[in-house]
Amino acid sequence: MEKKDVKIINQGLEDEMEVWGYRPCPWKMVLVAVGAVCTGGLLFLVLYWLPEWGVRLTCTRTPFIRESQTLLLRSTVCYFTHHSTKYYWNDLLQNFEKAGKNANGFQSGFNRRLFFEVNEIAVKVPSVFKLLIKEVLNPFYIFQLFSVILWSIEQYYYYAAAIVFMSVISIATSLYTVKKQYIMLHDMVATHSVVRVSVYVEEAMSTELVPGDVIVIPSNGMIMPCDAVLIHGNCIVNESMLTGESVPVTKTSLPSSGEDGAGVYSIEEHKRHTLFCGTHIIQTRFYTGELVKAVVVRTGFSTEKGQLVRSILYPKPTDFKLYRDAYLFLLCLVGVAGIGFIYTIVLSIINQVPAKTIVVESLDIITITVPPALPAAMTAGIVYAQRRLKRVGIFCISPQRINICGQLNLICFDKTGTLTEDGLDLWGIQRVENGSFSPPEDDPANETLVRSSFVSCMATCHSLTKLEGELSGDPMDLKMFNATGWILEEPTEEETALHNPIMPTVVRPPKQVLPEVNQEVNLLSYEIGIVRQFPFSSALQRMSVVVRKLGEKRMDAYLKGAPEVVASLCAEDTIPESFTETLEFYTRQGFRVIALAHRQLEAKLSWHKVQNLNRDLIETNMEFLGLIIMQNKLKEETSGVLKDLRHANIRTVMVTGDNMLTAISVARDCGMITPHERVIVADATPPKDIQPATINWHYTENHATSKDNCSVEISLDDVGHVAYGEQHKQQEQGYHFAMSGRSFAVITEHFPDLVQKLALHSTIFARMAPDQKTQLVEVLQSVDYTVGMCGDGANDCGALKRAHSGISLSELEASVASPFTSSTANISCVPNLIREGRAALITSFCVFKFMALYSIIQYLSVTLLYSILSNLGDFQFLFIDVAIILIIAFTMSLNPAWKVLVAQRPPSSLISGPLLFSVLTQILTCLAFQVLAFLWVRGQNWYEKWTPLSDACNVSSANLTHGPNITSHVDHKNIRNYENTTLFYVSSFQYLAVAIIFSKGKPFRQPSYKNCKLHLCIVNCIVCVPHEWRITVVIIVLVNAAVSFLLESANERWCTAFLSWLFCRKGKTPRVRYMQVAQELQEDPDWPPKPATLQKNIFNQACQLITNSYLQ
């Protein structure tokens, strides 16, 4: 295929697509129509199941997509809709792009409405008839319909009626479930708020909004009907629907001047100024003549909420090896059925069987080999696991991922709120006086500190607000403000309406801390109004405010944030010389450290000028005030859970936005890094001027561990002070890499050859931005790790969705941010989920093996009976499929998960040596004992060859030895014979034996003997055996069961080692990438890297670029 024939849309994104253009071909369409008529419509069904084939069989590919007629045309714009997203043809790019990317040319609202259409997230609830047609046309039900017709022709009316009855119940249940899910999703997203559109100064339905409209946010709040960027005023928003974070956030207006104002608006970069669809606006700040306004930027399914709804409606296909192997296994069964099909035809022709009987019986062998109940039986284990998870407070919106949880071998954890307590306790403060740190203080509310800039910064630099009289906001801000003892007062609606200038939020110290003399004067002089807020940014790692003390002309700016960032924005002469040592002293003990700074602004700055000022002009040349030391305690469950995961050989990684040394300390405290293991810090710097990108390798040492306070002392040594030789001798003790978000970005861009090597041993990622967490998950997946992500849902949404299994710690029952949501706010849910995932995965394997053996056992019985022109009877088929197979297949899935995590992981593939060897040995065993019983019964002295008057089922012992086997009922189908009766009972017990043998227990599920329902079903299935022949049959069955059990036990113990020896697997390269990398690193004498500086080779890179340019 030529390159011009294909277009790539959304390149590099999760929903990347390749698009080809086709034109209808008349002669191909005629041929397909003729083929459909000849096959009785079967060809249409196949093309319905495989639409890609339908296009290729009825159309021809066009050299240029623009000329394609298969795309829907309207006016002169060519577009198509895929997964509720519209893609338009762009003549300049000669490719399709999403609607909304290039809509600047539409000046009038009418044209924009034609382009964007209705603003709604329309989850259409299909009619019952449409759902019924879609369900009935499923290949599974088409195959059942074919089977029922065939059984009816063979006069198996009771069995056919039972299958039809079960299918009707299955279809009705499926329709009810799907319809209910559509209704629930429709009710969740159907919000049609009436908002004011200032473009026309009129009220309009939210469905009429298009990007570019300016809407007014009412003071009493609303549910946002679209994504919009604030251009004036502030809003307090509850975004729990999107992030799972219940703490309200403050949204400020988009900067209109300075460097930020000059840049292009980006939703990712300007989240703090964007109101997202579906979020709840709790409160707004509006002023005289200037209402709170926002510009619509995205509507419908393009919004943040719309994209989440799309991910539910059109989930990313679960590429799990088990499901791929299941189809291959079914193809193998179809191949076996083909052999039986040919065998039946040949045997029937030799025996001169009528043509009608040949056709019916040869097709019947296909319906026997492919088990129709397999999909439902395999789903049962997942459904039971989902119910068990719900009982322990874990809610799932993607049940198919439960099986994937059984293969997790790496878990990424957020730190704050996940491994540690969500709330921070104020340990103390350390102020700067006369250029140096003063001794630590534990009470910032002390009377002597009320007038200090340090306490004023603590009281003002936050994003707190009052909701229904209660302070609300970030937990850390709450702790800091409450520690001061100050009071926060917000203006009422009446006050903001009466004042033309901005009415600020006011904070003041409590009355009791001021002297009684002139108390009112002092109180008034220390009221501070917050004039402007620059909210906290994860990318900038800081926030700031502009304030004004009542009675003063000049304004002040206060800043708080990461100590390294704040220090870089302060005048050097205000930073104490011991800043680095003091910061390391606290962070290496696991404290969360926040730095504060202050600056007095110029007198010429007015209230209105400050509103349009860029934060970079404020946050510069500041005075360093000191440090706030917050204590972030580990949750009680953290250490125990991480210990369990380590014993289960599940790797754990910390991904946090906190300081590097704090993260290392917490990792040691919780056991993620053991005391004897070393930590290597990869400190990468980007290229600058002529200097290339570099990586500095630093080693941290764990000198001492205090048993009293469980703190770990860590020092960050310089390159020259590390005795690498001694450390290299201890390499077998283990090592971990730690890096910051900046280093991670530099390494992925400039040192791509190191990314996979570092991913293998990197345990701590500090100062990571939300998008970097997502990138990290992708890197770990690229080396074939099955990655789980556990976070609180606030900054982890991207990583939670990108991981194989995302677990959000949220109080909400179901968060659309991740497949799994735990109502328990600690990581104890992680081992529970993995245990249930392993149990569900093993259950899927057990059920699949059982259903495959059931088909083969019945196939063997019928094939043997065909040799004497016999078959199983109607009630025999009914008894086997309903009373034995169906009930046991569902009850064997009831084994709950094993109580502890073990180091062994369940297999991930059906096409594996041990599993195939297990199935093959059981097939051969069943075949041997069926042939034995078949031949043995024919060698008995009382055996009589079948006649139409025979009835082996009702013969008495006297009949067996003395008289002919005669009954008044004529048996034209040769069913009541000795071979049939013997094989029926032997095969029935083979089903039961295989069910018990394949129903695995420890180490992934509870033992089978605890599954009372399974054993009750098995006991009920043990029926009477022929009177004279029963002892022999019982012996055959018992020996069969014993041999099957011994073979399965031998397979579990020695098969893997035997197959490895047989095929020389020990010397071969591992299949998974991370094991290949580990093998390479073991042979690398220079790994882990020595404490040194690694530079990017600019010369080699330049040569490569020159070579590439010549080649092109």
Side-chain angles (χ1 to χ4, degrees), residues 472-485:
S472 178
D474 185 85
M476 188 180 72
D477 287 348
L478 276 171
K479 287 284 184 182
M480 288 174 53
F481 183 79
N482 289 334
T484 65

Side-chain angles (χ1 to χ4, degrees), residues 404-413 641-653 671-672 736 760 763 785-789 807 830-838 900-906 1004 1074:
I404 300 178
C405 292
Q407 282 294 313
L408 291 178
N409 53 12
L410 186 147
I411 309 291
C412 296
F413 291 100
V641 169
L642 293 180
K643 183 179 179 181
D644 292 341
L645 294 176
R646 187 169 63 252
H647 288 165
N649 284 341
I650 296 174
R651 187 179 156 199
T652 54
V653 172
M672 193 174 284
H736 299 264
L760 200 66
T763 301
Y785 277 113
T786 307
V787 183
M789 175 71 196
I807 312 160
V830 174
N832 287 337
L833 182 59
I834 296 175
R835 288 191 301 106
E836 288 295 346
R838 290 182 173 185
V900 294
L901 276 177
V902 295
Q904 179 186 354
R905 277 196 298 274
F1004 304 116
Y1074 68 86

Side-chain angles (χ1 to χ4, degrees), residues 47 149 174 328 383-384 470 488 496 752 951 1020 1038 1102:
L47 298 183
I149 294 172
S174 178
L328 291 176
V383 172
Y384 295 144
E470 294 290 332
L488 183 141
T496 55
D951 187 2
N1020 289 337
L1038 291 177

